[in-house]
Amino acid sequence: MADIIEKPAVIDPPPNLRDYDAMFGTFKWQDAYDRIEWFEDGTLNAAASAVDRHAESSRKNKVAMYWEGESAEKYTFLELSSLSNRFANVLTDIGIERRDRVFIFLPRVPELYVSFLGILKTGAIAGTMFSAFGPEGLYDRLHDSGARYLITNSKLLERVQGIRDDLPDLERVILVDGTDHSGTANAADASDAANAANAADVAENDVIYSEAIASASRKFDVARMSPDDPAFMLYTSGTTGKPKGVVHRHLAIAQQHATTEWVLDLHEEDIYWCTADPGWVTGISYGMLGPWSCGSSIVVHDGRFDPNIWYSMIERYQVSVWYSAPTAFRMLMRAEGAHRGHDLASLRHICSVGEPLNSEIVYWGIRTFGLPIHDNFWQTETGGILIANYPSVPIKPGWMGKPIPGIKAAIVDEAGKEVSRGVEGNLALLPNFPSMMLTIWKNPAKYEEYFMGGWYLTGDRALQHEDGYFLFIGRADDVINTSGERVGPFEVESALIAHPAIVEAGVIGKPDPLRGEIIKAFVVLSDGYEPSEELEAEVRRFVKTRLAGHAYPREFEFVETLPKTRSGKIVRRMLRAQELGLPIGDVSTLE
Ligand code: AMP
């Protein structure tokens, strides 16, 4: 079959979907709280809502997590519940108190997931960090949060040693080592861990995870929390300044649960793979809490990105719902054909978040898996999905979709006034949804800066079509002003990657005396293409037919890679800094 398909402007939902409209009805968040069976006397605990609820039901022996790293393991809801109880007991024994900050600095090993749940169960606040962070990124987070305990392994501990003396609040390190991830160690494993820990130069009162957890009770009296009590925090980098500690409440699980059902279309029998690391909010809200609260089995892959490995994961675990990011999809597109030879028939629904989803990726999904990719929009600060192509709405490729029930999104001008449909402006939300951040840690002034006239401002530019769909234009700081016209990088990048030779593009505004800014495109070529003047000329001809004259990039540069955050976002401000010879900063500390 030819690899050419139609590129429809609208893709209708599949027939026989469950009745979303009836489900939504005249939805109000209060209805969701009333419906949530895990609320007791107005209190809850997100870890119990996500996992213990199932461990106490007929689902207790159902697999909650299929884990694959250097070996493959699986954990039932009952096992996850008992292990996290044990870990909560370990923390209690060393004196943890409610609201203490406990940070996790681990690769995606099972202990990361167990300890996250265990921390929540004690009423403390869990913080996560990418295992790729270096000392600077670690220091910013551990120092600002005043973290009391840090969970890491002896290899990563080396990056902490140089800053440990400058972290007066950090009392103890809990060291995860050894190969028995279930933590109910046999003696040999515990002694391996102890040896590794000794080699790592631990402090006297540090704790060896496997030893401590093996002797801890599997029963724990889970802390009952008020809906607005903090549960977890993550640092997010703005365009300037230090990363900010975004704090989320236990109640956020109400939105994570609802949107996992509505947007990710997760049913209890699904096998679900969220490729995001828990160092990024997606890996928490939709990598753990949302899907577990729905009783689904999750798949975790602790390893590097490789198209073959990824497709084998889907095949081996019969993944039915897959949640990933445009950057990963683009890398898979680049390895065009790598899916052949893998049976991917288990896939039923695919979603994307984190960056604008170029329509080309949606069409690639249809071509490759027979399924369109569903875009959705949210942020670290919002804790849960806000705008989405949920399964029952037709997809308009290139558009983010519509606000989910219970969310009021709008486009506002600089004075906070709603603009007409079709007019570009600031994407804003009424901040009355449960997964909205509680605060910015120790920085209420920063928190206040997000609001204007009752709206929460996302920092993104967008427009809303007459039909209610939202179109992403760009981060406010990335929008280009050329000859008096505003151009969003997404539009230009999407036109570029529609050319088969281009897999990825980053577009910036470059100061120009005549036009204010001119558009410069950095492009990464697909496998099998080499930079040449002919190719550049051809790409120029190609984009000229797809973009308005003023949006046409005047400068081109072929590059091997684009600077990205740990969660895979193109960092256009780095491209700009590089171009202008300004200090670039350390991209490895960005989430
Ligand atoms: P983070 O808090 O790191 O998840 O980043 C949130 C930002 O990522 C948003 O403010 C957007 O700039 C961008 N983003 C996330 N999802 C989308 C999407 N579906 N389309 C366009 N941009 C997105």
Side-chain angles (χ1 to χ4, degrees):
M1 198 183 86
D3 259 0
I4 297 169
I5 57 152
E6 264 187 273
K7 294 187 174 174
V10 177
I11 301 165
D12 285 325
N16 310 324
L17 268 186
R18 61 174 154 171
D19 186 354
Y20 281 88
D21 288 338
M23 230 166 94
F24 296 155
T26 49
F27 175 83
K28 293 196 186 53
W29 286 113
Q30 191 55 47
D31 303 340
Y33 311 149
D34 294 343
R35 198 174 61 99
I36 297 175
E37 60 201 70
W38 54 74
F39 254 126
E40 262 172 45
D41 306 328
T43 66
L44 82 166
N45 187 299
S49 314
V51 170
D52 293 355
R53 208 162 55 88
H54 306 299
E56 289 151 14
S57 78
S58 56
R59 278 175 233 112
K60 66 179 177 208
N61 292 323
K62 184 183 169 178
V63 174
M65 173 164 74
Y66 291 96
W67 177 81
E68 195 167 310
E70 82 275 10
S71 61
E73 295 174 11
K74 44 187 177 193
Y75 294 79
T76 62
F77 278 105
L78 184 59
E79 285 166 334
L80 264 192
S81 171
S82 319
L83 280 167
S84 51
N85 277 350
R86 285 172 185 261
F87 190 68
N89 278 314
V90 170
L91 292 173
T92 306
D93 286 348
I94 57 175
I96 197 157
E97 291 182 13
R98 282 187 181 216
R99 290 176 184 252
D100 276 350
R101 277 75 59 212
V102 185
F103 269 65
I104 310 172
F105 179 43
L106 283 174
R108 276 175 240 181
V109 287
E111 291 88 339
L112 189 170
Y113 297 81
V114 167
S115 54
F116 182 87
L117 293 169
I119 297 165
L120 264 56
K121 286 184 175 186
T122 65
I125 306 172
T128 53
M129 300 186 293
F130 285 100
S131 59
F133 280 159
E136 192 189 328
L138 295 171
Y139 176 81
D140 285 346
R141 288 158 181 81
L142 296 171
H143 190 263
D144 183 73
S145 65
R148 189 168 173 204
Y149 305 124
L150 172 69
I151 305 158
T152 186
N153 63 26
S154 38
K155 189 154 163 256
L156 295 175
L157 183 63
E158 287 168 21
R159 288 189 226 150
V160 185
Q161 298 297 31
I163 54 172
R164 201 165 170 180
D165 289 345
D166 303 320
L167 297 169
D169 298 312
L170 184 62
E171 268 176 39
R172 288 180 199 247
V173 168
I174 301 173
L175 271 183
V176 172
D177 278 305
T179 49
D180 174 25
H181 299 287
S182 69
T184 43
N186 52 40
D189 199 72
S191 90
D192 279 357
N195 289 340
N198 284 339
D201 190 19
V202 295
E204 206 180 305
N205 63 353
D206 287 349
V207 176
I208 310 294
Y209 178 95
S210 55
E211 280 176 7
I213 209 169
S215 55
S217 163
R218 68 181 66 200
K219 300 259 173 277
F220 183 75
D221 201 6
V222 175
R224 301 298 305 177
M225 309 301 289
S226 297
D228 284 343
D229 278 337
F232 64 92
M233 67 190 289
L234 287 132
Y235 279 77
T236 182
S237 315
T239 37
T240 50
K242 291 277 183 204
K244 304 167 273 193
V246 175
V247 185
H248 283 292
R249 66 191 98 205
H250 279 263
L251 185 66
I253 195 161
Q255 188 161 347
Q256 289 147 357
H257 176 76
T259 46
T260 302
E261 252 184 32
W262 299 342
V263 180
L264 306 181
D265 198 27
L266 218 54
H267 308 216
E268 196 185 315
E269 62 279 9
D270 277 310
I271 310 279
Y272 164 76
W273 186 24
C274 168
T275 62
D277 190 286
W280 179 32
V281 68
T282 306
I284 295 180
S285 298
Y286 299 102
M288 295 191 244
L289 298 175
W292 279 335
S293 75
C294 292
S296 316
S297 306
I298 69 162
V299 171
V300 173
H301 175 232
D302 181 28
R304 68 194 164 86
F305 172 82
D306 175 292
N308 250 314
I309 297 176
W310 274 39
Y311 288 133
S312 354
M313 290 288 298
I314 296 175
E315 188 174 15
R316 202 158 38 254
Y317 294 99
Q318 296 284 291
V319 171
S320 52
V321 178
W322 184 24
Y323 194 22
S324 198
T327 188
F329 292 126
R330 282 192 296 261
M331 290 304 115
L332 293 171
M333 272 171 79
R334 182 177 195 174
E336 186 77 72
H339 65 288
R340 298 209 178 90
H342 294 281
D343 179 1
L344 307 177
S346 57
L347 283 174
R348 177 177 60 76
H349 190 58
I350 312 179
C351 295
S352 168
V353 71
E355 276 198 299
L357 185 68
N358 321 87
S359 52
E360 233 19 72
I361 307 180
V362 180
Y363 300 128
W364 168 80
I366 300 178
R367 218 165 53 225
T368 312
F369 313 110
L371 297 169
I373 298 176
H374 294 70
D375 192 14
N376 54 71
F377 169 93
W378 58 292
Q379 306 178 296
T380 303
E381 291 88 337
T382 72
I385 296 172
L386 305 166
I387 296 177
N389 287 289
Y390 40 87
S392 55
V393 306
I395 295 178
K396 296 205 311 176
W399 293 71
M400 298 197 287
K402 294 182 178 183
I404 58 154
I407 295 295
K408 164 75 181 152
I411 304 295
V412 301
D413 64 16
E414 299 315 308
K417 200 166 145 291
E418 271 191 75
V419 301
S420 319
R421 295 273 166 115
V423 175
E424 185 204 313
N426 301 303
L427 177 56
L429 300 149
L430 280 189
N432 58 353
F433 49 91
S435 68
M436 177 66 185
M437 65 174 157
L438 260 180
T439 187
I440 298 290
W441 186 255
K442 280 200 326 207
N443 202 340
K446 229 352 157 248
Y447 175 76
E448 290 305 325
E449 280 174 18
Y450 282 95
F451 300 93
M452 189 184 10
W455 293 104
Y456 162 77
L457 300 179
T458 60
D460 289 314
R461 304 281 298 180
L463 62 81
Q464 188 176 21
H465 193 267
E466 285 296 342
D467 61 14
Y469 282 68
F470 280 82
L471 178 74
F472 182 82
I473 310 276
R475 289 290 305 161
D477 315 311
D478 288 337
V479 173
I480 301 159
N481 207 328
T482 179
S483 306
E485 303 273 358
R486 295 171 59 78
V487 178
F490 170 50
E491 169 192 0
V492 185
E493 290 162 7
S494 292
L496 284 162
I497 75 161
H499 190 283
I502 297 179
V503 69
E504 201 155 52
V507 163
I508 60 161
K510 182 175 165 183
D512 179 79
L514 204 61
R515 295 189 166 82
E517 284 181 311
I518 55 156
I519 298 177
K520 170 154 186 177
F522 295 85
V523 296
V524 179
L525 292 177
S526 308
D527 289 350
Y529 289 89
E530 289 296 326
S532 69
E533 278 176 22
E534 297 75 56
L535 182 59
E536 182 177 331
E538 190 199 312
V539 171
R540 283 177 177 281
R541 271 196 303 278
F542 179 85
V543 289
K544 217 165 205 165
T545 60
R546 286 171 161 73
L547 288 171
H550 63 267
Y552 173 74
R554 282 173 197 271
E555 284 190 22
F556 257 80
E557 189 171 328
F558 294 110
V559 290
E560 288 289 315
T561 52
L562 295 171
K564 303 244 176 90
T565 63
R566 290 279 152 213
S567 56
K569 294 178 208 291
I570 299 170
V571 194
R572 296 177 188 79
R573 80 188 125 100
M574 296 264 172
L575 288 172
R576 240 180 346 252
Q578 253 163 29
E579 185 64 27
L580 303 179
L582 300 172
I584 290 177
D586 180 6
V587 75
S588 75
T589 63
L590 299 177
E591 305 75 29

